[in-house]
Amino acid sequence: MKLHEAIEKLLLTAGRPMLTSEIADALNQNKWYQKKDGSPIDPFQVHGRTKNYAHLFNRNGSTVSLIGQPPNKQPASKAEKVKQALKLMTPISSNSVSNTKLLEKILMNEENFRPASIIDNIVPDKAGLYCIRISNTNKLPAPFDKLLAVREHNIIYIGIASSSLKRRFLCQELRAIGHGTFFRSIGAVLGYRPIQGSLREKLNKRNYTFSPTDETKIIGWINKHLIVNWVETDIDFDTLETTLLSKYRPLLNLAKNPAALAELTKLRAECVTIANCP
């Protein structure tokens, strides 16, 4: 997230104008934006950045507000500042339209994505949404490379973690600890198949897994070719997920996806058959 985006998110969350010093203090606390050299954000930097984005921000001396926000509201009292600081350190959870749009903007902004290989220690143990892109669409095997090209984006999966991004998104979907839906799909797309008969004695006849050797190879491919982003929130997951799937049509989502691929359904069915074979 860039500094001006972090300031915009902060002002939306606060719902009021803020002093440049307040903005700097809040961003240094919540870490929505961090300078490359690790030094703290200062009010002068906030002043300069908001000046450069006059289409987003009103400025009245050292007070900054969003376009459309009353710019002349009095700065908060000391007690209110403490209350607001605590609020701004927590994820967005409001079910308002403006916050839903902000969540989508933050989640889908390509500049916020980072390699899957570097996220193990930073994915939070909090509820939220996640998005997975591929950095080079040509790295998908046929026909999935061509099918993604037709969609004119590089988004391959959008998901929700109703209780923990760390457990669902990181562990299950990217690291094969529990084998999430995405991991099963990308493994099948890459040509891997479950061990024959591995589900025959299991109660769940659909949640196939891959051999440890194949898991390692799939994880290696994920780390090399996928970029990811997430947002913490406890907003109405089902509604927002449905909206995002309808709008972006990720390549490997099946449920709720109006452009779900028959090719993927067929591959997953093949894997289920193999895992249940005698």
Side-chain angles (χ1 to χ4, degrees):
M1 186 183 304
K2 293 186 176 181
L3 178 56
H4 70 277
E5 293 172 328
I7 296 170
E8 181 183 19
K9 176 180 176 180
L10 187 68
L11 291 171
L12 277 168
T13 306
R16 63 171 178 85
M18 298 176 70
L19 297 172
T20 54
S21 58
E22 286 185 276
I23 294 171
D25 289 343
L27 294 181
N28 285 326
Q29 288 287 331
N30 61 35
K31 307 297 184 185
W32 290 346
Y33 171 81
Q34 292 178 278
K35 296 167 68 173
K36 290 182 180 179
D37 62 6
S39 62
I41 304 163
D42 59 57
F44 182 77
Q45 186 179 8
V46 174
H47 173 84
R49 188 61 61 93
T50 54
K51 180 180 178 181
N52 290 337
Y53 286 83
H55 63 289
L56 294 177
F57 307 105
N58 284 313
R59 294 162 59 254
N60 182 11
S62 60
T63 301
V64 181
S65 62
L66 291 171
I67 297 294
Q69 246 180 358
N72 55 355
K73 185 177 179 179
Q74 290 298 315
S77 66
K78 186 174 182 179
E80 182 64 20
K81 287 180 183 179
V82 172
K83 182 180 178 181
Q84 288 292 338
L86 291 172
K87 175 184 176 183
L88 296 170
M89 290 173 66
T90 61
I92 295 174
S93 59
S94 170
N95 202 20
S96 69
V97 173
S98 61
N99 277 342
T100 299
K101 290 180 179 179
L102 177 60
L103 283 170
E104 178 183 348
K105 181 177 179 180
I106 295 169
L107 178 65
M108 304 310 296
N109 187 341
E110 291 192 62
E111 295 182 354
N112 295 336
F113 282 71
R114 63 202 84 184
S117 60
I118 67 169
I119 65 168
D120 290 71
N121 295 323
I122 59 175
V123 178
D125 191 20
K126 301 285 185 64
L129 294 97
Y130 55 92
C131 181
I132 303 172
R133 297 175 183 262
I134 185 167
S135 53
N136 183 348
T137 58
N138 293 327
K139 296 302 180 181
L140 282 171
F144 295 94
D145 55 344
K146 301 297 189 297
L147 293 171
L148 184 55
V150 169
R151 303 191 184 200
E152 299 182 334
H153 60 57
N154 64 345
I155 304 166
I156 60 175
Y157 198 81
I158 294 174
I160 60 176
S162 57
S163 59
S164 172
L165 284 159
K166 183 176 183 179
R167 182 170 65 251
R168 175 63 181 173
F169 166 53
L170 176 65
C171 293
Q172 295 183 12
E173 302 288 39
L174 303 181
R175 301 295 179 251
I177 303 173
H179 279 72
T181 302
F182 172 75
F183 195 90
R184 291 189 184 92
S185 292
I186 194 63
V189 166
L190 294 176
Y192 297 98
R193 297 294 180 267
I195 298 172
Q196 184 171 327
S198 54
L199 287 180
R200 203 167 24 145
E201 304 301 324
K202 304 289 185 180
L203 291 177
N204 189 315
K205 300 297 183 181
R206 300 193 62 80
N207 289 351
Y208 59 88
T209 60
F210 303 100
S211 70
T213 299
D214 287 348
E215 285 179 359
T216 300
K217 292 177 181 178
I218 296 167
I219 294 169
W221 187 92
I222 286 172
N223 284 340
K224 186 175 182 180
H225 299 296
L226 300 187
I227 54 176
V228 299
N229 189 33
W230 63 88
V231 289
E232 296 176 36
T233 181
D234 59 2
I235 205 166
D236 182 357
F237 290 110
D238 289 338
T239 299
L240 185 53
E241 182 190 32
T242 300
T243 299
L244 294 176
L245 293 178
S246 296
K247 181 174 181 178
Y248 294 101
R249 302 169 296 120
L251 187 74
L252 299 186
N253 283 87
L254 290 175
K256 302 181 182 178
N257 189 350
L261 292 176
E263 293 86 348
L264 177 59
T265 299
K266 182 178 179 181
L267 278 183
R268 288 181 58 97
E270 179 185 339
C271 288
V272 169
T273 298
I274 293 171
N276 283 283
C277 279

